[in-house]
Amino acid sequence: METYGGRRSQAERDAITVEIGYALCSALFAAAVLFGAVAGPALLFELPRAVELLLLRGGLVLAPLLFVARVVSVLVRFRREGAQPSQPGRTSPDS
């Protein structure tokens, strides 16, 4: 996706937009599942107050961390994959 000072094509801009959307949606889903798995028992069952607080706070801390990690990992992987040569059938020496 490097154009060496030039402008990006519409296809490249579209690919970036789609990848950002995918990163955000998949991160939101993963964070929601993690929050549900960690804090869900505290919301569904009668547990001791200390355990409920621990589970809720754990979910509130871990879910945003997972969200950020997922977005960053998807976008870094997309940037790395865009560095492949444009000629079909050829790969870079390090792949």
Side-chain angles (χ1 to χ4, degrees), residues 3 9 11 20 26 34 40 47 49 51 58 64 70 72 75 81 86:
T3 57
S9 69
I20 290 170
S26 67
L34 178 79
L47 299 172
R49 181 77 176 144
V51 175
R70 176 68 181 162
V72 168
L75 295 179
E81 288 175 1
S86 61

Side-chain angles (χ1 to χ4, degrees), residues 1 3 14 16 19 25 27 35 40-41 44 53-54 60 62 66 68 78-79 88 93:
M1 296 270 165
T3 57
D14 290 345
I16 291 168
E19 199 65 23
C25 289
F35 179 79
L44 292 175
L53 284 175
L54 179 68
L60 288 174
L62 293 175
L66 177 65
V68 170
F78 175 72
R79 185 174 185 193

